[in-house]
Amino acid sequence: MSKVAVVYWSGTGNTEAMAMAHQFDGLVMIPNCDKNVPGLLMAAARLNIPAIFCSGGPMLAGRLQDGRRSCLSHMFEAVGAYKAGKLGEAGVEDYENNACPTCGSCSGMFTANSMNCVMEAVGFALKGNGTVPAVYSQRIRLAKETGAAIMRVLSDGIRPRDIFTTDAFKNIIAVDMALGCSTNTALHLPALAHEAGIPLPLSFFNEISEKVPNLCKLAPAGKHFMSDLYYAGGVYAVMKELLDAGLIDGSLKTVTGKTVAENIADAVVTDPEVILSLIHI
């Protein structure tokens, strides 16, 4: 009988130690913050046993008393405004009570959501991994589907390094640029690539960014939030725009047992204000 472990909120070293000590056959990794997402990814690449990701999901955007939507970075700005004498205590309390209203990773395209989105894009996680809000019942369904998927991954013998190839990292960076992900991906992706035995110089980011336009303006860079991206069609819809333009490789293997192109074949942009079309750029 196969032994599959669920790993959450853990770092690279202790994940490796536990997986090797217990001789697990596969891993379901459930991270949801900016350091443990890449930490678990590095462990997956180093262990190279069948594995799959299922993040905890992003929180919903906050809504202040005057109707403005907000996120964590706005809370930081509110503290600075208070220190500068530009915001009173009541204003700070408004942000404190309303900026981060639910559980989940921060509601904008910060580091954790960036990494969770690109893991969905590369096919190390199922559809919705990066965008389904933490408080939605669909997140529970995604977890159950991930539990079924790891058994298929195990049966097919798909290992992390089968997915984390040079071409896959080019896809990741292309989606990164289109989504407008956190600049921390330029730290975490080379670290992950190193553990997978793949050279990933920073010049890759420059070369790909010269070809791939930014299709989304998510907080803190814009007015939209992760839930908006979810309703607009999600990561797959962004990828479909890129695939149709020949900017990503659709032939690569994923944990679904299908190729990237097969995964995103039915994806549709449902809100062109959130996900811009390449035709209009």
Side-chain angles (χ1 to χ4, degrees):
M1 181 178 293
S2 298
K3 294 193 295 182
V4 177
V6 176
V7 186
Y8 62 96
W9 290 89
S10 190
T12 306
N14 51 356
T15 299
E16 286 183 273
M18 292 298 291
M20 290 188 291
H22 291 278
Q23 290 294 287
F24 291 127
D25 299 298
L27 296 171
V28 176
M29 297 180 155
I30 308 178
N32 216 40
C33 203
D34 57 349
K35 299 301 186 294
N36 57 41
V37 175
L40 287 182
L41 285 171
M42 291 166 69
R46 287 165 68 160
L47 289 164
N48 202 34
I49 62 175
I52 192 170
F53 245 47
C54 183
S55 77
M59 71 172 66
L60 296 177
R63 188 174 294 275
L64 303 177
Q65 291 180 353
D66 63 6
R68 287 178 295 145
R69 296 201 295 167
S70 63
C71 62
L72 179 65
S73 62
H74 297 153
M75 181 72 248
F76 296 156
E77 292 167 5
V79 172
Y82 175 77
K83 291 288 187 180
K86 297 180 179 179
L87 185 68
E89 290 188 9
V92 174
E93 186 176 5
D94 187 9
Y95 281 96
E96 183 179 6
N97 291 336
N98 299 307
C100 299
T102 73
C103 63
S105 48
C106 302
S107 57
M109 189 58 84
F110 298 95
T111 304
N113 291 331
S114 296
M115 294 299 294
N116 284 328
C117 282
V118 297
M119 286 306 105
E120 179 183 342
V122 77
F124 195 55
L126 302 183
K127 178 182 179 182
N129 178 70
T131 59
V132 175
V135 294
Y136 282 14
S137 58
Q138 187 179 342
R139 180 60 60 175
I140 299 173
R141 291 199 299 272
L142 177 60
K144 292 180 179 179
E145 291 166 0
T146 301
I150 186 59
M151 303 312 295
R152 182 176 58 249
V153 171
L154 191 59
S155 175
D156 293 345
I158 301 173
R159 297 171 181 267
R161 292 184 200 173
D162 295 331
I163 294 174
F164 296 131
T165 64
T166 299
D167 287 336
F169 277 103
K170 291 179 180 178
N171 272 11
I172 289 174
I173 296 171
V175 176
D176 180 339
M177 297 303 153
L179 288 171
C181 290
S182 167
T183 53
N184 279 335
T185 59
L187 297 174
H188 298 316
L189 292 176
L192 171 59
H194 175 77
E195 302 302 349
I198 304 293
L200 190 67
L202 289 177
S203 59
F204 271 33
F205 289 81
N206 287 337
E207 292 167 9
I208 295 171
S209 68
E210 289 175 357
K211 302 174 184 177
V212 180
N214 181 204
L215 301 182
C216 304
K217 292 288 187 181
L218 301 169
K223 64 180 181 179
H224 299 128
F225 296 86
M226 296 305 296
S227 56
D228 298 318
L229 178 60
Y230 164 68
Y231 283 115
V235 174
Y236 277 15
V238 174
M239 294 175 67
K240 188 66 164 52
E241 289 284 323
L242 300 181
L243 182 66
D244 290 347
L247 294 172
I248 59 173
D249 185 345
S251 68
L252 305 182
K253 181 184 296 187
T254 73
V255 291
T256 66
K258 300 177 181 179
T259 64
V260 167
E262 289 171 334
N263 283 343
I264 66 176
D266 298 327
V268 176
V269 174
T270 57
D271 189 338
E273 289 189 7
V274 177
I275 302 174
L276 299 178
S277 171
L278 279 163
I279 297 174
H280 299 119
I281 292 180

